[in-house]
mmCIF file of all heavy atoms in Angstrom:
data_model
loop_
_atom_site.group_PDB
_atom_site.id
_atom_site.type_symbol
_atom_site.label_atom_id
_atom_site.label_comp_id
_atom_site.label_asym_id
_atom_site.label_seq_id
_atom_site.Cartn_x
_atom_site.Cartn_y
_atom_site.Cartn_z
ATOM 1 N N THR S 5 4.594 88.992 159.616
ATOM 2 C CA THR S 5 4.111 87.651 159.935
ATOM 3 C C THR S 5 3.480 87.545 161.319
ATOM 4 O O THR S 5 2.771 86.588 161.615
ATOM 5 C CB THR S 5 5.271 86.651 159.848
ATOM 6 O OG1 THR S 5 6.258 87.000 160.835
ATOM 7 C CG2 THR S 5 5.907 86.669 158.463
ATOM 8 N N GLY S 6 3.779 88.542 162.200
ATOM 9 C CA GLY S 6 3.257 88.466 163.558
ATOM 10 C C GLY S 6 4.055 87.546 164.458
ATOM 11 O O GLY S 6 3.723 87.395 165.644
ATOM 12 N N GLY S 7 5.103 86.914 163.931
ATOM 13 C CA GLY S 7 5.920 86.009 164.731
ATOM 14 C C GLY S 7 7.052 86.741 165.413
ATOM 15 O O GLY S 7 7.220 87.959 165.289
ATOM 16 N N ALA S 8 7.855 85.959 166.153
ATOM 17 C CA ALA S 8 8.990 86.536 166.871
ATOM 18 C C ALA S 8 10.061 86.966 165.877
ATOM 19 O O ALA S 8 10.287 86.328 164.854
ATOM 20 C CB ALA S 8 9.550 85.511 167.848
ATOM 21 N N CYS S 9 10.747 88.051 166.204
ATOM 22 C CA CYS S 9 11.810 88.592 165.350
ATOM 23 C C CYS S 9 13.149 88.066 165.861
ATOM 24 O O CYS S 9 13.522 88.316 167.018
ATOM 25 C CB CYS S 9 11.780 90.118 165.368
ATOM 26 S SG CYS S 9 13.118 90.867 164.399
ATOM 27 N N ASP S 10 13.867 87.356 165.031
ATOM 28 C CA ASP S 10 15.161 86.792 165.441
ATOM 29 C C ASP S 10 16.179 87.882 165.724
ATOM 30 O O ASP S 10 16.967 87.772 166.671
ATOM 31 C CB ASP S 10 15.692 85.868 164.342
ATOM 32 C CG ASP S 10 14.812 84.640 164.161
ATOM 33 O OD1 ASP S 10 14.117 84.281 165.123
ATOM 34 O OD2 ASP S 10 14.832 84.056 163.048
ATOM 35 N N THR S 11 16.156 88.948 164.948
ATOM 36 C CA THR S 11 17.117 90.030 165.167
ATOM 37 C C THR S 11 16.887 90.701 166.511
ATOM 38 O O THR S 11 17.833 90.968 167.269
ATOM 39 C CB THR S 11 17.007 91.059 164.036
ATOM 40 O OG1 THR S 11 17.245 90.412 162.781
ATOM 41 C CG2 THR S 11 18.032 92.160 164.217
ATOM 42 N N CYS S 12 15.631 90.990 166.816
ATOM 43 C CA CYS S 12 15.322 91.601 168.111
ATOM 44 C C CYS S 12 15.701 90.667 169.252
ATOM 45 O O CYS S 12 16.189 91.109 170.306
ATOM 46 C CB CYS S 12 13.836 91.945 168.196
ATOM 47 S SG CYS S 12 13.352 93.268 167.046
ATOM 48 N N GLY S 13 15.486 89.362 169.056
ATOM 49 C CA GLY S 13 15.874 88.397 170.083
ATOM 50 C C GLY S 13 17.370 88.415 170.325
ATOM 51 O O GLY S 13 17.825 88.329 171.479
ATOM 52 N N ASN S 14 18.133 88.550 169.254
ATOM 53 C CA ASN S 14 19.597 88.616 169.406
ATOM 54 C C ASN S 14 20.017 89.881 170.146
ATOM 55 O O ASN S 14 20.927 89.860 170.978
ATOM 56 C CB ASN S 14 20.264 88.571 168.037
ATOM 57 C CG ASN S 14 20.100 87.221 167.364
ATOM 58 O OD1 ASN S 14 19.928 86.198 168.041
ATOM 59 N ND2 ASN S 14 20.143 87.212 166.033
ATOM 60 N N VAL S 15 19.371 91.022 169.814
ATOM 61 C CA VAL S 15 19.697 92.274 170.499
ATOM 62 C C VAL S 15 19.396 92.164 171.994
ATOM 63 O O VAL S 15 20.205 92.584 172.856
ATOM 64 C CB VAL S 15 18.923 93.442 169.860
ATOM 65 C CG1 VAL S 15 19.097 94.716 170.693
ATOM 66 C CG2 VAL S 15 19.379 93.664 168.431
ATOM 67 N N ILE S 16 18.220 91.606 172.334
ATOM 68 C CA ILE S 16 17.845 91.463 173.750
ATOM 69 C C ILE S 16 18.835 90.553 174.466
ATOM 70 O O ILE S 16 19.290 90.842 175.587
ATOM 71 C CB ILE S 16 16.416 90.921 173.864
ATOM 72 C CG1 ILE S 16 15.411 91.967 173.341
ATOM 73 C CG2 ILE S 16 16.088 90.535 175.301
ATOM 74 C CD1 ILE S 16 13.981 91.456 173.248
ATOM 75 N N HIS S 17 19.217 89.459 173.798
ATOM 76 C CA HIS S 17 20.170 88.533 174.417
ATOM 77 C C HIS S 17 21.514 89.214 174.636
ATOM 78 O O HIS S 17 22.149 89.051 175.698
ATOM 79 C CB HIS S 17 20.333 87.314 173.516
ATOM 80 C CG HIS S 17 21.385 86.359 173.982
ATOM 81 N ND1 HIS S 17 21.196 85.520 175.061
ATOM 82 C CD2 HIS S 17 22.659 86.130 173.530
ATOM 83 C CE1 HIS S 17 22.285 84.810 175.259
ATOM 84 N NE2 HIS S 17 23.190 85.163 174.334
ATOM 85 N N PHE S 18 21.953 90.016 173.669
ATOM 86 C CA PHE S 18 23.235 90.708 173.783
ATOM 87 C C PHE S 18 23.206 91.717 174.916
ATOM 88 O O PHE S 18 24.156 91.825 175.714
ATOM 89 C CB PHE S 18 23.556 91.404 172.457
ATOM 90 C CG PHE S 18 24.820 92.199 172.482
ATOM 91 C CD1 PHE S 18 26.059 91.588 172.468
ATOM 92 C CD2 PHE S 18 24.776 93.590 172.537
ATOM 93 C CE1 PHE S 18 27.227 92.324 172.504
ATOM 94 C CE2 PHE S 18 25.935 94.337 172.579
ATOM 95 C CZ PHE S 18 27.169 93.702 172.551
ATOM 96 N N ARG S 19 22.114 92.467 175.039
ATOM 97 C CA ARG S 19 22.011 93.467 176.105
ATOM 98 C C ARG S 19 21.961 92.810 177.482
ATOM 99 O O ARG S 19 22.567 93.298 178.444
ATOM 100 C CB ARG S 19 20.782 94.329 175.883
ATOM 101 C CG ARG S 19 20.921 95.273 174.689
ATOM 102 C CD ARG S 19 19.663 96.084 174.472
ATOM 103 N NE ARG S 19 19.837 97.028 173.350
ATOM 104 C CZ ARG S 19 18.847 97.807 172.896
ATOM 105 N NH1 ARG S 19 17.632 97.741 173.465
ATOM 106 N NH2 ARG S 19 19.082 98.628 171.882
ATOM 107 N N ARG S 20 21.248 91.722 177.605
ATOM 108 C CA ARG S 20 21.188 91.011 178.880
ATOM 109 C C ARG S 20 22.572 90.471 179.267
ATOM 110 O O ARG S 20 22.979 90.525 180.433
ATOM 111 C CB ARG S 20 20.185 89.874 178.802
ATOM 112 C CG ARG S 20 18.740 90.353 178.804
ATOM 113 C CD ARG S 20 17.790 89.197 178.606
ATOM 114 N NE ARG S 20 16.390 89.663 178.673
ATOM 115 C CZ ARG S 20 15.341 88.869 178.411
ATOM 116 N NH1 ARG S 20 15.547 87.587 178.069
ATOM 117 N NH2 ARG S 20 14.129 89.363 178.487
ATOM 118 N N ALA S 21 23.292 89.955 178.271
ATOM 119 C CA ALA S 21 24.639 89.440 178.554
ATOM 120 C C ALA S 21 25.566 90.570 178.985
ATOM 121 O O ALA S 21 26.370 90.412 179.917
ATOM 122 C CB ALA S 21 25.194 88.742 177.301
ATOM 123 N N ARG S 22 25.454 91.713 178.356
ATOM 124 C CA ARG S 22 26.283 92.858 178.738
ATOM 125 C C ARG S 22 25.928 93.321 180.153
ATOM 126 O O ARG S 22 26.835 93.666 180.940
ATOM 127 C CB ARG S 22 26.104 93.987 177.745
ATOM 128 C CG ARG S 22 26.886 95.246 178.114
ATOM 129 C CD ARG S 22 26.656 96.336 177.123
ATOM 130 N NE ARG S 22 27.243 96.008 175.821
ATOM 131 C CZ ARG S 22 27.094 96.763 174.728
ATOM 132 N NH1 ARG S 22 26.360 97.877 174.791
ATOM 133 N NH2 ARG S 22 27.643 96.406 173.599
ATOM 134 N N ARG S 23 24.640 93.365 180.457
ATOM 135 C CA ARG S 23 24.212 93.809 181.808
ATOM 136 C C ARG S 23 24.751 92.847 182.865
ATOM 137 O O ARG S 23 25.231 93.276 183.930
ATOM 138 C CB ARG S 23 22.688 93.890 181.873
ATOM 139 C CG ARG S 23 22.162 94.466 183.178
ATOM 140 C CD ARG S 23 20.644 94.502 183.172
ATOM 141 N NE ARG S 23 20.150 95.196 184.343
ATOM 142 C CZ ARG S 23 19.945 96.503 184.442
ATOM 143 N NH1 ARG S 23 20.199 97.287 183.396
ATOM 144 N NH2 ARG S 23 19.494 97.048 185.568
ATOM 145 N N ALA S 24 24.685 91.550 182.573
ATOM 146 C CA ALA S 24 25.187 90.563 183.531
ATOM 147 C C ALA S 24 26.694 90.712 183.715
ATOM 148 O O ALA S 24 27.209 90.603 184.837
ATOM 149 C CB ALA S 24 24.835 89.158 183.054
ATOM 150 N N GLN S 25 27.406 90.962 182.644
ATOM 151 C CA GLN S 25 28.853 91.134 182.734
ATOM 152 C C GLN S 25 29.204 92.387 183.540
ATOM 153 O O GLN S 25 30.110 92.371 184.388
ATOM 154 C CB GLN S 25 29.465 91.216 181.336
ATOM 155 C CG GLN S 25 30.980 91.361 181.334
ATOM 156 C CD GLN S 25 31.535 91.459 179.921
ATOM 157 O OE1 GLN S 25 30.774 91.427 178.948
ATOM 158 N NE2 GLN S 25 32.840 91.572 179.819
ATOM 159 N N ALA S 26 28.470 93.497 183.273
ATOM 160 C CA ALA S 26 28.726 94.735 184.015
ATOM 161 C C ALA S 26 28.412 94.554 185.500
ATOM 162 O O ALA S 26 29.136 95.063 186.378
ATOM 163 C CB ALA S 26 27.908 95.877 183.434
ATOM 164 N N ALA S 27 27.357 93.833 185.826
ATOM 165 C CA ALA S 27 27.011 93.587 187.226
ATOM 166 C C ALA S 27 28.089 92.760 187.909
ATOM 167 O O ALA S 27 28.457 93.012 189.064
ATOM 168 C CB ALA S 27 25.663 92.883 187.307
ATOM 169 N N ALA S 28 28.629 91.746 187.203
ATOM 170 C CA ALA S 28 29.688 90.921 187.791
ATOM 171 C C ALA S 28 30.947 91.740 188.027
ATOM 172 O O ALA S 28 31.609 91.590 189.081
ATOM 173 C CB ALA S 28 29.984 89.740 186.860
ATOM 174 N N GLU S 29 31.297 92.618 187.084
ATOM 175 C CA GLU S 29 32.477 93.452 187.268
ATOM 176 C C GLU S 29 32.296 94.414 188.434
ATOM 177 O O GLU S 29 33.230 94.652 189.214
ATOM 178 C CB GLU S 29 32.760 94.228 185.973
ATOM 179 C CG GLU S 29 33.192 93.350 184.811
ATOM 180 C CD GLU S 29 33.333 94.134 183.521
ATOM 181 O OE1 GLU S 29 32.958 95.337 183.522
ATOM 182 O OE2 GLU S 29 33.788 93.557 182.495
ATOM 183 N N LEU S 30 31.087 94.974 188.548
ATOM 184 C CA LEU S 30 30.823 95.907 189.645
ATOM 185 C C LEU S 30 30.898 95.191 190.995
ATOM 186 O O LEU S 30 31.446 95.726 191.981
ATOM 187 C CB LEU S 30 29.443 96.549 189.463
ATOM 188 C CG LEU S 30 29.024 97.567 190.524
ATOM 189 C CD1 LEU S 30 30.006 98.741 190.582
ATOM 190 C CD2 LEU S 30 27.608 98.089 190.228
ATOM 191 N N ALA S 31 30.353 93.994 191.091
ATOM 192 C CA ALA S 31 30.398 93.236 192.350
ATOM 193 C C ALA S 31 31.830 92.900 192.722
ATOM 194 O O ALA S 31 32.167 92.848 193.925
ATOM 195 C CB ALA S 31 29.579 91.964 192.208
ATOM 196 N N GLN S 32 32.688 92.676 191.717
ATOM 197 C CA GLN S 32 34.084 92.370 192.005
ATOM 198 C C GLN S 32 34.852 93.618 192.439
ATOM 199 O O GLN S 32 35.714 93.550 193.323
ATOM 200 C CB GLN S 32 34.741 91.763 190.767
ATOM 201 C CG GLN S 32 36.163 91.278 191.005
ATOM 202 C CD GLN S 32 36.744 90.616 189.762
ATOM 203 O OE1 GLN S 32 36.096 90.585 188.715
ATOM 204 N NE2 GLN S 32 37.954 90.077 189.900
ATOM 205 N N GLU S 33 34.494 94.793 191.858
ATOM 206 C CA GLU S 33 35.184 96.030 192.202
ATOM 207 C C GLU S 33 34.722 96.579 193.566
ATOM 208 O O GLU S 33 35.548 97.042 194.375
ATOM 209 C CB GLU S 33 34.946 97.083 191.115
ATOM 210 C CG GLU S 33 35.586 96.736 189.775
ATOM 211 C CD GLU S 33 35.205 97.765 188.715
ATOM 212 O OE1 GLU S 33 34.565 98.776 189.074
ATOM 213 O OE2 GLU S 33 35.526 97.546 187.530
ATOM 214 N N LEU S 34 33.391 96.551 193.784
ATOM 215 C CA LEU S 34 32.815 97.131 195.008
ATOM 216 C C LEU S 34 31.933 96.088 195.684
ATOM 217 O O LEU S 34 30.694 96.104 195.581
ATOM 218 C CB LEU S 34 31.998 98.385 194.672
ATOM 219 C CG LEU S 34 32.761 99.510 193.933
ATOM 220 C CD1 LEU S 34 31.801 100.580 193.481
ATOM 221 C CD2 LEU S 34 33.839 100.103 194.844
ATOM 222 N N PRO S 35 32.551 95.150 196.374
ATOM 223 C CA PRO S 35 31.738 94.052 196.940
ATOM 224 C C PRO S 35 30.830 94.468 198.105
ATOM 225 O O PRO S 35 29.858 93.769 198.404
ATOM 226 C CB PRO S 35 32.812 93.059 197.417
ATOM 227 C CG PRO S 35 34.041 93.880 197.627
ATOM 228 C CD PRO S 35 33.971 94.999 196.640
ATOM 229 N N GLY S 36 31.099 95.613 198.790
ATOM 230 C CA GLY S 36 30.307 95.970 199.975
ATOM 231 C C GLY S 36 29.129 96.885 199.704
ATOM 232 O O GLY S 36 28.493 97.365 200.652
ATOM 233 N N LEU S 37 28.784 97.154 198.446
ATOM 234 C CA LEU S 37 27.679 98.062 198.141
ATOM 235 C C LEU S 37 26.337 97.391 198.409
ATOM 236 O O LEU S 37 26.170 96.180 198.232
ATOM 237 C CB LEU S 37 27.740 98.517 196.688
ATOM 238 C CG LEU S 37 28.884 99.471 196.310
ATOM 239 C CD1 LEU S 37 28.816 99.772 194.826
ATOM 240 C CD2 LEU S 37 28.802 100.762 197.134
ATOM 241 N N GLY S 38 25.344 98.257 198.778
ATOM 242 C CA GLY S 38 23.991 97.757 198.919
ATOM 243 C C GLY S 38 23.322 97.605 197.558
ATOM 244 O O GLY S 38 23.830 98.067 196.524
ATOM 245 N N ASP S 39 22.183 96.965 197.592
ATOM 246 C CA ASP S 39 21.507 96.678 196.330
ATOM 247 C C ASP S 39 21.108 97.950 195.602
ATOM 248 O O ASP S 39 21.249 98.057 194.379
ATOM 249 C CB ASP S 39 20.258 95.821 196.582
ATOM 250 C CG ASP S 39 20.627 94.439 197.072
ATOM 251 O OD1 ASP S 39 21.805 94.039 196.848
ATOM 252 O OD2 ASP S 39 19.758 93.767 197.633
ATOM 253 N N ARG S 40 20.577 98.936 196.324
ATOM 254 C CA ARG S 40 20.123 100.171 195.674
ATOM 255 C C ARG S 40 21.279 100.939 195.069
ATOM 256 O O ARG S 40 21.199 101.387 193.919
ATOM 257 C CB ARG S 40 19.392 101.035 196.708
ATOM 258 C CG ARG S 40 18.838 102.310 196.106
ATOM 259 C CD ARG S 40 18.046 103.082 197.144
ATOM 260 N NE ARG S 40 17.522 104.316 196.586
ATOM 261 C CZ ARG S 40 16.804 105.210 197.282
ATOM 262 N NH1 ARG S 40 16.556 104.972 198.601
ATOM 263 N NH2 ARG S 40 16.353 106.298 196.707
ATOM 264 N N LYS S 41 22.355 101.085 195.839
ATOM 265 C CA LYS S 41 23.518 101.800 195.322
ATOM 266 C C LYS S 41 24.136 101.074 194.136
ATOM 267 O O LYS S 41 24.558 101.686 193.146
ATOM 268 C CB LYS S 41 24.557 101.931 196.453
ATOM 269 C CG LYS S 41 25.754 102.813 196.090
ATOM 270 C CD LYS S 41 25.327 104.246 195.841
ATOM 271 C CE LYS S 41 26.524 105.152 195.624
ATOM 272 N NZ LYS S 41 26.137 106.545 195.301
ATOM 273 N N ARG S 42 24.166 99.697 194.218
ATOM 274 C CA ARG S 42 24.741 98.911 193.126
ATOM 275 C C ARG S 42 23.921 99.112 191.847
ATOM 276 O O ARG S 42 24.474 99.237 190.759
ATOM 277 C CB ARG S 42 24.785 97.438 193.528
ATOM 278 C CG ARG S 42 25.436 96.553 192.438
ATOM 279 C CD ARG S 42 25.438 95.086 192.840
ATOM 280 N NE ARG S 42 26.226 94.889 194.055
ATOM 281 C CZ ARG S 42 25.727 94.613 195.247
ATOM 282 N NH1 ARG S 42 24.406 94.504 195.388
ATOM 283 N NH2 ARG S 42 26.497 94.439 196.309
ATOM 284 N N ARG S 43 22.573 99.131 191.975
ATOM 285 C CA ARG S 43 21.732 99.324 190.798
ATOM 286 C C ARG S 43 21.960 100.693 190.192
ATOM 287 O O ARG S 43 21.981 100.864 188.975
ATOM 288 C CB ARG S 43 20.254 99.128 191.162
ATOM 289 C CG ARG S 43 19.861 97.676 191.297
ATOM 290 C CD ARG S 43 18.344 97.537 191.260
ATOM 291 N NE ARG S 43 17.720 98.285 192.368
ATOM 292 C CZ ARG S 43 17.494 97.760 193.578
ATOM 293 N NH1 ARG S 43 17.856 96.512 193.852
ATOM 294 N NH2 ARG S 43 16.902 98.488 194.512
ATOM 295 N N GLN S 44 22.125 101.733 191.033
ATOM 296 C CA GLN S 44 22.367 103.083 190.513
ATOM 297 C C GLN S 44 23.672 103.163 189.727
ATOM 298 O O GLN S 44 23.721 103.733 188.630
ATOM 299 C CB GLN S 44 22.387 104.085 191.693
ATOM 300 C CG GLN S 44 21.039 104.302 192.368
ATOM 301 C CD GLN S 44 21.141 105.234 193.553
ATOM 302 O OE1 GLN S 44 22.241 105.610 193.994
ATOM 303 N NE2 GLN S 44 19.969 105.624 194.101
#
Side-chain angles (χ1 to χ4, degrees):
T5 63
C9 177
D10 294 336
T11 302
C12 293
N14 292 334
V15 172
I16 293 173
H17 174 75
F18 177 74
R19 289 178 178 176
R20 287 175 177 174
R22 177 181 292 175
R23 186 181 187 88
Q25 181 181 1
E29 293 175 353
L30 181 60
Q32 186 177 3
E33 293 175 7
L34 303 171
L37 290 178
D39 293 340
R40 182 176 179 181
K41 187 64 174 177
R42 182 181 298 108
R43 282 196 300 271
Q44 291 177 351

